[in-house]
Amino acid sequence: MNFTSSLETAFYKESHPENGLAMAKYMRNHFSFFGIKTEDRRQIFKTLCKENQLEILENARAIALELFKKNEREFHYCAIEILIKQLKGNYKKEDIHFIEKLLTTNSWWDSVDTIAKYILGEYLLEFPLETKKVIKRFSNSENLWLNRSAILFQLGYKQKTNFDLLKSESEKHKNFNEFFIQKAIGWALREYAKTNPQAVKKFVINTNLKPLSTKEALKNII
C-alpha cells in the first residue's frame, strides 16, 4: 500500500535512535521506537493521510492490521488514529473480532487504553445490544488486556455510563493483584465520579477494593 510504504520511508528519514532508546526504556523495552517526537510524528502522519485520503478511506482496517505487524511503536499509534477517525459511525457488527485482535496484538497500556476508550467504547455505543455479551467474554478471558478493556471501555461515557456494569466489573476483579487491573478499576470509577461523585463514594466505601483502586477512585472526591 502506498500510504504504508510512504509512512515507513518518512519515519526512517526522521528517526532519532537515541530518543528511540529512551522511549523503548520507558515502555520497558516491549517495543522499538524510531524516536520521533509525538508532534512531529503526527505532522508526518497528517500530511501523508491527506495525500492518501482515498486509500485510507477504502482500506482503513487492512492498513491498521499491516501497521500493527510492524515492530516500531509509532506505526501502532498511527494505526489506532486511523481507526478512531475512519470507523466512528461506520462500525460493522463483526468488527468486534477485529477490535479484539487489536487489543491482544502488541499489547501494552498505551495502546490498550486508547483502543478500549475510543474504539471498543465507540463500537459498543453503536451496538449497545452487544455490550453484555462482549464485556462478559472480555471479562472472563485469561487475557489481562481484555479484562482491563472490560473495565475501561466506558471512559468518557459520562451520563451514558452503565454504573451497574462498572460496579459489577469492579467487584469481580477487585481481588486481582495485577497492577493494571487495580489501576483500571480506580481510574474508571474516578472518571465516573466526575458525573456522579456521591454514587462512586458510596460504592467505594461499601466495597472492599484494593488500596490502589480506592485511592484512585476517590482522588478527586471531597
Side-chain angles (χ1 to χ4, degrees):
M1 294 184 183
N2 184 61
F3 170 76
T4 304
S5 59
S6 297
L7 188 65
E8 188 166 22
T9 299
F11 279 173
Y12 273 109
K13 183 179 179 181
E14 297 298 323
S15 63
H16 297 279
E18 289 187 8
N19 291 345
L21 290 174
M23 291 176 178
K25 185 177 181 181
Y26 178 69
M27 289 296 173
R28 299 186 184 178
N29 294 308
H30 286 292
F31 314 99
S32 56
F33 284 79
F34 286 109
I36 305 171
K37 292 181 179 179
T38 300
E39 58 186 34
D40 294 332
R41 168 177 60 80
R42 285 183 171 156
Q43 186 56 55
I44 293 168
F45 174 70
K46 183 179 179 181
T47 298
L48 291 176
C49 281
K50 285 184 178 178
E51 293 175 2
N52 298 274
Q53 210 166 8
L54 183 59
E55 180 188 339
I56 294 170
L57 180 64
E58 295 179 346
N59 302 282
R61 295 169 181 81
I63 289 172
L65 288 177
E66 184 177 355
L67 291 174
F68 252 81
K69 291 177 183 177
K70 296 184 179 296
N71 293 325
E72 290 82 7
R73 197 59 164 165
E74 287 92 343
F75 287 127
H76 310 160
Y77 296 152
C78 289
I80 293 168
E81 289 178 21
I82 286 171
L83 294 173
I84 290 172
K85 181 178 180 180
Q86 298 297 328
L87 297 190
K88 186 173 183 178
N90 296 302
Y91 283 99
K92 302 174 183 176
K93 193 173 181 180
E94 60 269 24
D95 275 334
I96 190 57
H97 304 295
F98 173 66
I99 294 169
E100 183 172 355
K101 184 175 180 65
L102 293 174
L103 288 167
T104 55
T105 301
N106 292 315
S107 307
W108 197 238
W109 63 265
D110 56 334
S111 61
V112 168
D113 293 359
T114 308
I115 295 167
K117 179 178 180 179
Y118 294 104
I119 297 179
L120 176 63
E122 184 63 33
Y123 169 86
L124 291 175
L125 283 177
E126 293 185 27
F127 294 98
L129 296 181
E130 295 297 297
T131 301
K132 184 177 180 180
K133 178 176 67 175
V134 169
I135 297 308
K136 181 179 180 180
R137 182 160 59 83
F138 282 17
S139 180
N140 290 337
S141 171
E142 294 183 0
N143 185 288
L144 157 70
W145 302 110
L146 292 181
N147 298 161
R148 183 170 165 98
S149 298
I151 298 167
L152 294 179
F153 81 97
Q154 296 190 90
L155 290 174
Y157 272 27
K158 298 180 181 179
Q159 289 87 354
K160 295 180 181 178
T161 300
N162 182 335
F163 189 39
D164 286 337
L165 180 57
L166 176 55
K167 289 189 291 185
S168 175
E169 287 301 304
S170 298
E171 290 195 72
K172 180 176 180 178
H173 293 95
K174 69 179 183 179
N175 293 320
F176 282 41
N177 291 318
E178 169 58 56
F179 168 83
F180 287 111
I181 295 300
Q182 293 309 316
K183 189 81 170 179
I185 291 171
W187 182 15
L189 290 169
R190 184 175 77 247
E191 184 69 19
Y192 184 58
K194 295 175 183 178
T195 299
N196 196 341
Q198 293 310 310
V200 170
K201 186 175 182 179
K202 180 179 178 182
F203 171 70
V204 173
I205 289 173
N206 293 308
T207 309
N208 190 25
L209 299 176
K210 293 278 189 180
L212 176 59
S213 298
T214 299
K215 178 183 177 183
E216 290 294 322
L218 299 178
K219 186 175 286 185
N220 298 323
I221 298 178
I222 299 175

